[in-house]
Amino acid sequence: MRLIGNYLSPFTRRVAISLTALDIPFELEELTPFKKPEPVREYNPVVRIPTLVFDDGDALFESHVILDAIDQLVGPDRALTPASGPSRRRVMKIAAVATASMEKAQWAFYEVRFHPAEKVYQWWIDHNESQTIGGLKYLDQLAKPVRDEGWIAGTERMSQADISAAVAYSFVKAVRPELSISKSASYLAEFARRCEAMDVFRAAPVPPSLPS
Ligand SMILES: N[C@@H](CCC(=O)N[C@@H](CS)C(=O)NCC(=O)O)C(=O)O
């Protein structure tokens, strides 16, 4: 399998960490679609990452679709999102808060990254950042009892809720450092630190610097 994307993208990162956690081998084709859109367009008409190309040439995009497909590949005993029942709903709800927080931080980041300084709309940044903070504070309360041990959705092993929550935290910290999220979501910070120390997370590290 070939994963097209990069590890600043939290959506790519949660897919990469999940693939590794499920022992599914893949190669990262590292690129940003803003600078190199063609290899993505070949498989994804909307030209976004992550795009996962299967060995038979088929491809999937949208991280939740990819994650569902790889869960199906390994089967319900190993899947990162439970197949049914209350735990499925809980894992999906927490992962949804995490991905919405990623998305909102990304929109604030894009506002600065893609506009000339005189066209940056501060109200829009503040609006998105307040939603990001709301999401991370929600995750913070869930992380409080499990910051040293256990999993955020109360599952017996790591689930998609854990991966997405930790990835969301690390992404926001990287792209919106001015939010000082380690202070306002300190339990989530501890939980994310624990996750980021795991081999599966370390195999898909957040880049040390932001793109220019
Ligand atoms: N909902 C999508 C979001 C994917 C996304 O926003 N990817 C960004 C990078 S993090 C991207 O490809 N941006 C390029 C663009 O929107 O033109 C998912 O879960 O995969």
Side-chain angles (χ1 to χ4, degrees):
M1 282 187 198
R2 197 150 48 95
L3 177 63
I4 307 179
N6 68 68
Y7 292 155
L8 182 61
S9 157
F11 306 101
T12 305
R13 202 166 174 246
R14 77 183 189 125
V15 168
I17 293 165
S18 302
L19 284 167
T20 306
L22 296 176
D23 299 315
I24 301 175
F26 70 97
E27 276 174 35
L28 177 72
E29 183 170 342
E30 191 175 356
L31 58 73
T32 164
F34 297 110
K35 294 193 175 143
K36 207 173 166 195
E38 288 317 321
V40 189
R41 199 189 316 276
E42 187 181 334
Y43 298 101
N44 178 351
V46 185
V47 197
R48 287 211 299 188
I49 56 167
T51 292
L52 184 69
V53 185
F54 290 82
D55 293 341
D56 65 3
D58 191 18
L60 283 178
F61 23 84
E62 289 297 318
S63 55
H64 64 280
V65 173
I66 298 173
L67 293 173
D68 182 64
I70 63 176
D71 269 354
Q72 294 286 318
L73 274 183
V74 298
D77 292 346
R78 297 190 59 217
L80 291 165
T81 297
S84 61
S87 61
R88 176 177 175 81
R89 188 188 290 186
R90 187 161 167 77
V91 166
M92 290 187 80
K93 179 174 172 180
I94 295 168
V97 173
T99 50
S101 305
M102 294 168 191
E103 215 170 83
K104 288 281 140 177
Q106 180 190 40
W107 291 4
F109 177 53
Y110 281 1
E111 180 68 20
V112 179
R113 188 172 168 205
F114 295 118
H115 287 148
E118 70 280 11
K119 297 225 165 123
V120 168
Y121 188 26
Q122 189 59 44
W123 181 91
W124 183 235
I125 293 177
D126 295 345
H127 173 78
N128 283 290
E129 287 186 343
S130 74
Q131 290 167 297
T132 301
I133 291 168
L136 293 192
K137 284 195 164 168
Y138 175 92
L139 297 175
D140 189 53
Q141 285 311 302
L142 299 177
K144 187 174 176 182
V146 294
R147 54 200 195 273
D148 297 325
E149 199 182 357
W151 303 108
I152 207 161
T155 49
E156 282 181 5
R157 55 188 174 81
M158 184 173 76
S159 79
Q160 192 51 242
D162 304 295
I163 295 174
S164 295
V167 166
Y169 172 83
S170 300
F171 176 64
V172 175
K173 188 162 177 276
V175 297
R176 307 310 295 153
E178 53 280 77
L179 293 180
S180 302
I181 206 70
S182 59
K183 294 198 185 92
S184 49
S186 61
Y187 302 125
L188 182 62
E190 284 179 58
F191 177 76
R193 226 180 339 265
R194 176 157 75 85
C195 293
E196 294 287 357
M198 294 168 64
D199 287 347
V200 288
F201 280 73
R202 286 158 55 101
V206 177
S209 58
L210 297 178
S212 50

